[in-house]
Amino acid sequence: MANQLIEHFPTKYWQRLEDGRVRCDVCPQHCTLREGKRGSCFVRMHHKGKIVLTSYGRSSGFCIDPIEKKPLNHFYPGSSVLSFGTAGCNLSCKFCQNWDISKSRQIDTLSGSAMPEQLAKAAKQHHCKSLAFTYNDPVIFMEYAIDTAIAAKQQNIKSVAVSAGYICAEPRAEFYQHMDAANIDLKAFSESFYHKICHGHLQPVLETLLYLKNETNVWFEITTLLIPDENDSAQELHAMCQWIAESLGVDIPLHFSAFHPDFKMLDKGNTPLSTLLKARAIAQSYGLNYVYCGNVFDSESDSTYCPNCQQLLIGRNWYELNQYRLTEHGNCQHCGQQLPGRFAAFNNSFGRKRIPIAII
């Protein structure tokens, strides 16, 4: 079975409609499809009266990354992760920075193939601590991701979902049952942004964040890409950071990431560091303990400090860890404060390497 691709993999979150169409219920798009038609995600399709997944066992490529690139700063810092994705996405963000993968309508984009057991064994062979479903949103290929997470667990490999959190309640529960960590892309804190820029809605994403916090043991962090004059106003940032502090707690790591012009949003300039630092200050004013700036070089705002004694605990230079002052259980070596996250004995940093690999 290792090399046998399944062209039409069966799925279960759908229902038949009276007019002959089939409605997909994985995400809030609720695509209603006639025979042979694909959903907005591209990889889920109406085939012979059912919704099937067309990308099972197929990938846009495989790469070993530092875990900090996901970004996850409190999930086995310094470790390596085997990353892969498929094609398509259930949102249509005009600023997508992986648009060549996520907005692909060509199955040829899926140049690599690997069944779940192959991926788990490859992660083990390359000494990766975890395996990440990334580049495009794993909720749209959830059957493939779940089977891979099950295979990874058998190899003592953790599973990471990098997702926009745009998923319905029932599949959400099944999907995150198999994940160890997640980074949720909170694209903005306004319904108008989600509707106009992403062709989606804000509330389902907030529900995913609340679900992860209140109903699971999944370690998760949040990323917001700040786009000049679109989602970076002080008013919106205050509202978002207040909601995070009050609804999720002050120990949820929050990453503010710099935008660069891409895809259908070429009329905006790069996000200046000053904007990220202002957003970080707003988040800290609500008591958030771990606020990071990404896609820019600023070691101070990319490093981790003890909220109790203020000592530098994890120093970062891009994805390279040059200071590490935590015990194997994640306690501050200065005052003993427990940091939230998942930690182990630290040997060395994987660094900023990005290593493409082939799965055979």
Side-chain angles (χ1 to χ4, degrees):
M1 172 147 176
N3 293 311
Q4 286 185 328
L5 296 178
I6 304 172
E7 186 176 356
H8 300 123
F9 192 87
T11 72
K12 64 181 180 181
Y13 296 108
W14 53 268
Q15 57 183 294
R16 292 188 181 93
L17 304 180
E18 292 182 357
D19 63 2
R21 293 180 298 172
V22 176
R23 189 180 81 178
C24 180
D25 293 323
V26 166
C27 88
Q29 301 289 6
H30 291 296
C31 296
T32 55
L33 306 172
R34 297 197 181 279
E35 176 67 32
K37 298 299 183 181
R38 295 173 180 265
S40 62
C41 68
F42 174 66
V43 297
R44 304 182 86 83
M45 172 184 175
H46 181 175
H47 176 69
K48 296 182 178 179
K50 302 177 181 180
I51 295 292
V52 298
L53 175 65
T54 62
S55 62
Y56 192 102
R58 306 187 69 175
S59 172
S60 53
F62 312 96
C63 194
I64 300 175
D65 294 314
I67 191 66
E68 288 78 14
K69 197 171 184 179
K70 298 302 99 186
L72 288 171
N73 282 359
H74 292 233
F75 188 76
Y76 302 106
S79 65
S80 60
V81 55
L82 174 58
S83 303
F84 81 100
T86 63
C89 189
N90 58 342
L91 291 175
S92 301
C93 303
K94 294 180 180 179
F95 54 87
C96 183
Q97 304 192 354
N98 283 326
W99 62 270
D100 54 331
I101 296 170
S102 68
K103 303 321 297 175
S104 172
R105 291 295 183 267
Q106 298 295 323
I107 204 70
D108 291 342
T109 298
L110 303 178
S111 56
S113 63
M115 299 306 278
E117 295 77 10
Q118 292 175 285
L119 286 163
K121 290 178 181 178
K124 188 79 170 179
Q125 290 169 356
H126 289 278
H127 309 290
C128 296
K129 182 71 176 178
S130 55
L131 197 156
F133 313 108
T134 181
Y135 306 137
N136 69 320
D137 204 305
V139 305
I140 67 169
F141 61 92
M142 62 175 291
E143 295 81 7
Y144 184 25
I146 287 172
D147 286 352
T148 301
I150 292 171
K153 187 175 183 179
Q154 294 172 352
Q155 299 286 344
N156 197 30
I157 301 294
K158 307 295 184 183
S159 292
V160 173
V162 181
S163 171
Y166 206 61
I167 186 171
C168 293
E170 190 176 355
R172 177 194 296 136
E174 181 181 4
F175 181 74
Y176 284 107
Q177 177 186 344
H178 300 281
M179 298 299 131
D180 297 290
N183 186 287
I184 301 298
D185 189 7
L186 180 57
K187 297 177 183 294
F189 204 69
S190 72
E191 171 64 16
S192 61
F193 181 98
Y194 267 89
H195 179 70
K196 181 180 71 170
I197 305 295
C198 304
H199 301 98
H201 301 283
L202 171 62
Q203 188 59 34
V205 182
L206 301 183
E207 290 172 1
T208 293
L209 289 168
L210 290 169
Y211 176 81
L212 289 172
K213 173 64 178 178
N214 298 322
E215 306 293 336
T216 77
N217 292 318
V218 176
W219 175 254
F220 70 99
E221 305 183 17
I222 299 171
T223 297
T224 298
L225 182 76
L226 292 181
I227 304 173
D229 302 320
E230 292 290 352
N231 64 350
D232 63 345
S233 71
Q235 180 181 5
E236 184 169 335
L237 291 169
H238 274 283
M240 183 181 80
C241 295
Q242 182 177 2
W243 183 87
I244 291 173
E246 294 177 353
S247 302
L248 305 177
V250 296
D251 286 337
I252 299 297
L254 174 60
H255 303 256
F256 289 116
S257 188
F259 164 87
H260 65 259
D262 215 331
F263 195 38
K264 296 181 179 179
M265 193 171 280
L266 302 175
D267 58 332
K268 302 287 183 181
N270 289 37
T271 308
L273 175 60
S274 59
T275 296
L276 301 181
L277 294 178
K278 288 176 183 176
R280 182 172 184 254
I282 289 172
Q284 290 172 330
S285 75
Y286 288 95
L288 271 66
N289 288 318
Y290 310 101
V291 189
Y292 302 102
C293 298
N295 280 359
V296 292
F297 178 71
D298 185 63
S299 185
E300 180 180 353
S301 63
D302 197 27
S303 296
T304 301
Y305 302 85
C306 178
N308 183 51
C309 69
Q310 313 306 318
Q311 290 290 322
L312 173 66
L313 298 182
I314 306 177
R316 297 184 181 87
N317 183 346
W318 288 108
Y319 305 118
E320 190 91 40
L321 275 57
N322 50 33
Q323 297 280 350
Y324 194 89
R325 297 167 181 167
L326 292 171
T327 69
E328 63 179 308
H329 301 296
N331 298 90
C332 172
Q333 291 181 355
H334 302 276
C335 70
Q337 173 79 21
Q338 175 70 55
L339 258 69
R342 305 288 184 267
F343 303 94
F346 180 78
N347 295 315
N348 51 52
S349 171
F350 177 74
R352 64 184 73 176
K353 301 180 288 290
R354 185 176 189 273
I355 307 173
I357 65 168
I359 305 292
I360 56 174

